[in-house]
Amino acid sequence: MTLIKSISGIRGTIGGRTNDNLTPVDAVKFAAAYGTWLREYSKKDKMTVVIGRDARLSGEMIQNLVVSTLVGLGADVIDLGLSTTPTVEIAVPLEKADGGIILTASHNPKQWNALKLLNEKGEFLDAEQGAKILALAEKEDFDFAEVDDLGSVVKNDSYIDVHIDEVLKLSLVDKETIKKAGFKVVVDGVNSTGGVAIPKLLEELGVEVIKLYCDPTGHFPHNPEPLKEHLGDICKKVVEEQADFGIVVDPDVDRLAFISNDGEMFGEEYTLVACADYVLGKTKGNTVSNLSSSRALRDITQKHGGSYKAAAVGEVNVVAKMKANEAIIGGEGNGGIIYPESHYGRDALVGTALFLMLMAEKGGTVAELRASYPSYFMSKKKIQLTPDLDVDALLTAMHDKYKDEEVSTIDGVKIDFAENWVHLRKSNTEPIIRIYTEAKSQMEADSLADQIIDEIKEVAGLK
């Protein structure tokens, strides 16, 4: 199960057999399905599509296949080359393009790649649109352009600079305020495009940058998911350099994590909490995060007089809920900041600028800032799935077991207890069940997760 087709795109491992992995044939088929859908959706014979990729090893190969397929459909392509997910999202409306594709498998290891699909606003497709593309790919009913009608390719490698300019234009970002603070920051760019984009932004803001793994070779120096167990090097480096803090991003730069000045994790969940604290302190409004995110955002939002709502997991769901709730900031607890004044997409560059403003205005250390927030601890665990497991039946059994508690089923099963919660859901991107818990201590969060895992295994007959 290494080719995962979902409404948000197609993700798989490189190599192997067609339809089981992300092979060249699968890349072409899904690019053709997207282009075919886009032609009908845009009602244009001559479409323009923006393409960008992270630095992973298979990126250039997949990009060549996708670009050529779109050209074969008659689409004009704006090729950003090495880019970031939020950069492509910003480029689509700026270029007045009809859609976009980002070639990245986000936080997945180097053997993975993916096609992430955007609409004309630079936002991810909704479920109905994604389902149409999956159906088109299944049928392989494509109508390619005649030779005189082939598309063209224009290369534009300036968009990371354009993206930085867009961040500097935001009303709550003031370059001089950040410059005066004289920050020194360590950046771990996991040898992908964040190693280019984040240092460039920081230097533009007058921040002294210490680079760690910022060469975009695609050779990830550690597991690219920005979790504590993968980040020993930067934690050590922040202390050694006596830096104010550290910044870690994933390969496509839509997730953002900070390391405090003492070398401890600030906590991915608290990236959104801190950025929201700054924005809500300047502008009254509401927030949204997903069901797997910390209660701390709710607490901070209410402190500032706003209202908080939870959405199903998935960026498209969070964005829909943000629009419905008129949220002025939102995102996901995995370090994904969505700030509508910029665009409706998770953006580590925007998050970095907002966090720098908060620190510049508050003063003090990052460790002190973290200590000032409501203290919750999360455990994020997973159970590997086997093909014979009936996941839906497992989740139903867990729902029934805890039916007397406050239970939500809008996305998997979330059980809210008085002092803690657990959220069980099938991953869209990997063959696993994710088990997220949150409690007032790490021991309690881990213990609750282990208890739930044991109960699931018992129900599944794995014990």
Side-chain angles (χ1 to χ4, degrees):
M1 196 177 162
T2 46
L3 185 68
I4 298 166
K5 304 165 190 174
S6 74
I7 57 162
S8 58
I10 175 172
R11 181 181 302 235
T13 48
I14 298 299
R17 298 183 63 80
T18 305
N19 250 345
D20 289 337
N21 304 78
L22 185 56
T23 68
V25 173
D26 295 291
V28 167
K29 187 164 73 172
F30 277 86
Y34 171 75
T36 300
W37 168 80
L38 191 62
R39 186 162 51 203
E40 185 189 319
Y41 173 73
S42 67
K43 297 184 169 51
K44 289 183 184 174
D45 289 330
K46 183 52 79 175
M47 307 166 294
T48 302
V49 182
V50 177
I51 307 278
R53 64 180 175 91
D54 70 14
R56 63 186 61 234
L57 300 173
S58 60
E60 191 173 2
M61 175 192 76
I62 297 293
Q63 182 157 7
N64 289 337
L65 291 162
V66 168
V67 168
S68 296
T69 303
L70 291 169
V71 167
L73 283 163
D76 291 335
V77 173
I78 299 169
D79 174 3
L80 306 189
L82 285 175
S83 192
T84 78
T85 287
T87 304
V88 178
E89 290 170 347
I90 277 174
V92 170
L94 285 177
E95 290 291 331
K96 298 183 172 55
D98 302 294
I101 301 179
I102 308 140
L103 306 169
T104 174
S106 299
H107 62 273
N108 290 117
K110 70 177 182 180
Q111 65 268 32
W112 290 80
N113 212 330
L115 281 67
K116 286 178 162 183
L117 311 175
L118 304 175
N119 64 17
E120 78 285 2
K121 296 175 186 168
E123 297 170 16
F124 288 115
L125 306 187
D126 64 28
E128 187 185 341
Q129 293 165 337
K132 281 182 183 170
I133 290 166
L134 291 179
L136 283 166
E138 197 66 35
K139 281 199 296 195
E140 296 188 32
D141 184 15
F142 311 129
D143 187 9
F144 288 95
E146 302 284 333
V147 69
D148 291 329
D149 299 322
L150 296 174
S152 64
V153 181
V154 174
K155 292 186 186 293
N156 185 341
D157 60 3
S158 68
Y159 253 94
I160 285 177
D161 294 327
V162 173
H163 188 173
I164 288 168
D165 289 342
E166 291 295 308
V167 173
L168 298 180
K169 285 181 199 169
L170 293 171
S171 58
L172 293 186
V173 175
D174 182 67
K175 186 173 170 176
E176 291 308 311
T177 300
I178 293 170
K179 197 172 182 178
K180 276 182 199 153
F183 293 119
K184 181 181 185 181
V185 174
V186 180
V187 177
D188 179 350
V190 71
N191 283 345
S192 189
T193 49
V196 177
I198 298 292
K200 265 191 172 187
L201 171 68
L202 293 174
E203 284 158 6
E204 193 66 37
L205 291 166
V207 175
E208 183 185 345
V209 181
I210 311 290
K211 294 181 185 179
L212 182 68
Y213 310 134
C214 285
D215 190 10
T217 60
H219 291 284
F220 304 148
H222 55 75
N223 184 309
E225 188 163 15
L227 303 176
K228 182 177 182 177
E229 56 266 32
H230 309 147
L231 301 177
D233 290 354
I234 187 171
C235 291
K236 192 174 155 196
K237 192 82 170 166
V238 167
V239 175
E240 278 174 5
E241 296 283 348
Q242 296 182 308
D244 293 291
F245 60 98
I247 293 174
V248 184
V249 290
D250 65 339
D252 69 323
V253 205
D254 62 359
R255 286 174 66 172
L256 174 64
F258 298 116
I259 312 299
S260 296
N261 53 294
D262 56 4
E264 294 297 320
M265 293 291 293
F266 187 74
E268 252 194 317
E269 290 291 327
Y270 285 82
T271 300
L272 177 53
V273 173
C275 291
D277 188 22
Y278 172 66
V279 170
L280 293 168
K282 302 284 184 184
T283 320
K284 295 295 175 208
N286 305 325
T287 65
V288 168
S289 64
N290 67 36
L291 285 163
S292 288
S293 300
S294 175
R295 281 181 182 174
L297 179 63
R298 178 200 66 184
D299 296 352
I300 288 293
T301 305
Q302 290 172 350
K303 185 188 104 176
H304 285 290
S307 90
Y308 165 80
K309 292 280 192 296
V313 173
E315 186 169 322
V316 68
N317 299 317
V318 173
V319 166
K321 184 74 84 171
M322 285 179 71
K323 289 176 178 177
N325 199 40
E326 297 181 339
I328 59 170
I329 189 167
E332 300 186 289
N334 60 11
I337 305 299
I338 302 174
Y339 186 47
E341 189 188 317
S342 177
H343 63 117
Y344 276 107
R346 294 180 301 169
D347 191 331
L349 279 78
V350 168
T352 294
L354 295 175
F355 187 79
L356 285 164
M357 285 299 297
L358 176 69
M359 288 306 303
E361 291 194 354
K362 261 192 189 283
T365 68
V366 172
E368 287 164 351
L369 176 70
R370 175 64 180 81
S372 73
Y373 290 133
S375 203
Y376 294 106
F377 296 83
M378 290 191 87
S379 175
K380 297 183 179 183
K381 302 197 176 188
K382 49 194 171 189
I383 296 177
Q384 199 71 31
L385 297 178
T386 56
D388 56 325
L389 273 182
D390 185 341
V391 181
D392 294 328
L394 282 180
L395 294 178
T396 300
M398 295 305 290
H399 170 272
D400 293 347
K401 183 179 174 74
Y402 288 101
K403 63 181 184 294
D404 295 333
E405 303 292 342
E406 187 184 327
V407 181
S408 166
T409 55
I410 66 167
D411 182 12
V413 176
K414 183 172 184 183
I415 307 155
D416 266 295
F417 303 104
E419 294 296 315
N420 49 42
W421 56 258
V422 59
H423 187 198
L424 314 172
R425 62 182 297 274
K426 194 165 45 173
S427 170
N428 291 329
T429 56
E430 296 172 75
I432 56 175
I433 293 179
R434 297 190 186 277
I435 296 104
Y436 290 177
T437 60
E438 184 173 67
K440 292 291 180 76
S441 75
Q442 193 62 55
M443 190 185 292
E444 191 185 338
D446 289 337
S447 170
L448 177 59
D450 291 339
Q451 173 199 322
I452 295 292
I453 287 170
D454 285 344
E455 289 175 6
I456 291 172
K457 284 180 175 174
E458 202 169 307
V459 169
L462 298 175
K463 289 190 76 176

